[in-house]
Amino acid sequence: MNTVLSCSSLTAGYAGNPVVRDFALELGEGEVLALLGPNGAGKTTVLRTLAGLLPRIGGQSVVTGRPGRGGSRGVVLVPDHRALFTTLTVGENLLLGRRSGGPSVNDILGYFPELGKRLDVAAGKLSGGEQQMLAIGRALIQRPRVLLIDEMSMGLAPVVVQALLPVVRQVADRTGAAVVLVEQHVRFALSVADRAMVLVHGRVSLSGRACDLAADPALLERAYLGEAV
């Protein structure tokens, strides 16, 4: 499996103050990582740094063999607030992100057929679930090599999350994009991920195959509490 994203000794934070220390990661094509942990652990900081929105304090991150700073290197972030243009329609939001030679709007609707009925509706008038579909769709139409999704479930009912998360697995399998998924619904996230990490106080407290972590809830609980595992 070809490596798409690798990090070594990554230190990240704000105004020169580290929040995440010595973060290391290697993801291959089509691999999904669930990045878990309690609030304030540094998960969003990791995503924002990988996306180039925060400067690295130390260490290195490389995508497809080339060091870089952001979206130009094929890294696309879906933030927890979705960042949609609420006065533009669904179709207009999608077309704004389209790249030459990339997926078409119809390709994106293949993942989210519900949006096909809402193409002429302003994004601000969509339900929360529909807005999340659009946010992910706008990321996918940019043909990412690395897709970063921050708290897909924010403000959504668990039943909606359970319906959306399998799309993450489909995207990785069909496009070969590496995916880093930050998600508070641990069981759902582990069901679609290949691997998982638990981040506590800016450091990785547990890492392993998602199926192994899902099978040992007690181990996960200890990791969340920051205990040695």
Side-chain angles (χ1 to χ4, degrees), residues 5 7 10 12 43-56 61 63 68-79 146-150 180:
L5 170 66
C7 304
L10 184 67
K43 304 182 298 295
T44 294
T45 300
V46 169
L47 295 193
R48 288 175 59 85
T49 304
L50 293 177
L53 300 178
L54 284 176
R56 295 187 303 271
S61 65
V63 176
R69 292 190 177 180
S72 63
R73 59 191 175 122
V75 181
V76 180
L77 170 66
V78 181
V146 177
L147 178 63
L148 311 173
I149 305 178
D150 195 5
V180 181

Side-chain angles (χ1 to χ4, degrees), residues 156-221:
L156 302 181
V159 66
V160 177
V161 180
Q162 194 170 12
L164 284 177
L165 275 173
V167 175
V168 174
R169 183 73 264 168
Q170 294 171 21
V171 167
D173 292 341
R174 293 178 186 177
T175 70
V179 181
V180 181
L181 175 68
V182 168
E183 179 52 56
Q184 61 178 318
H185 288 281
V186 174
R187 180 170 58 86
F188 293 162
L190 292 176
S191 72
V192 301
D194 300 292
R195 293 193 288 128
M197 286 182 174
V198 178
L199 198 65
V200 178
H201 301 309
R203 295 186 184 275
V204 175
S205 65
L206 180 64
S207 177
R209 296 193 306 167
C211 59
D212 292 338
L213 271 61
D216 196 342
L219 184 67
L220 267 175
E221 182 177 353

Side-chain angles (χ1 to χ4, degrees), residues 88-96 105 118-121 134:
L88 299 183
T89 67
V90 168
E92 290 167 339
N93 268 276
L94 290 174
L95 288 173
L96 278 175
V105 170
R118 311 283 276 166
L119 283 175
D120 296 324
V121 176
L134 180 55

Side-chain angles (χ1 to χ4, degrees), residues 7-11 20-25 33 35 46 50 60 180 197 199 202-204:
C7 304
S8 58
S9 302
L10 184 67
T11 300
V20 176
R21 296 171 176 83
D22 298 322
F23 184 81
L25 170 66
L33 172 76
L35 185 60
V46 169
L50 293 177
Q60 186 179 38
V180 181
M197 286 182 174
L199 198 65
R203 295 186 184 275
V204 175

Side-chain angles (χ1 to χ4, degrees), residues 61-141:
S61 65
V62 179
V63 176
T64 60
R66 300 188 307 275
R69 292 190 177 180
S72 63
R73 59 191 175 122
V75 181
V76 180
L77 170 66
V78 181
D80 58 2
H81 59 276
R82 296 165 193 155
L84 299 173
F85 295 99
T86 56
T87 60
L88 299 183
T89 67
V90 168
E92 290 167 339
N93 268 276
L94 290 174
L95 288 173
L96 278 175
R98 191 164 187 265
R99 300 288 186 265
S100 177
S104 67
V105 170
N106 283 336
D107 291 330
I108 302 306
L109 297 181
Y111 293 108
F112 304 111
E114 295 89 344
L115 292 181
K117 308 169 187 175
R118 311 283 276 166
L119 283 175
D120 296 324
V121 176
K125 295 183 178 180
L126 300 177
S127 69
E130 290 169 338
Q131 288 186 350
Q132 189 60 272
M133 293 177 197
L134 180 55
I136 297 170
R138 194 178 61 182
L140 295 179
I141 209 165

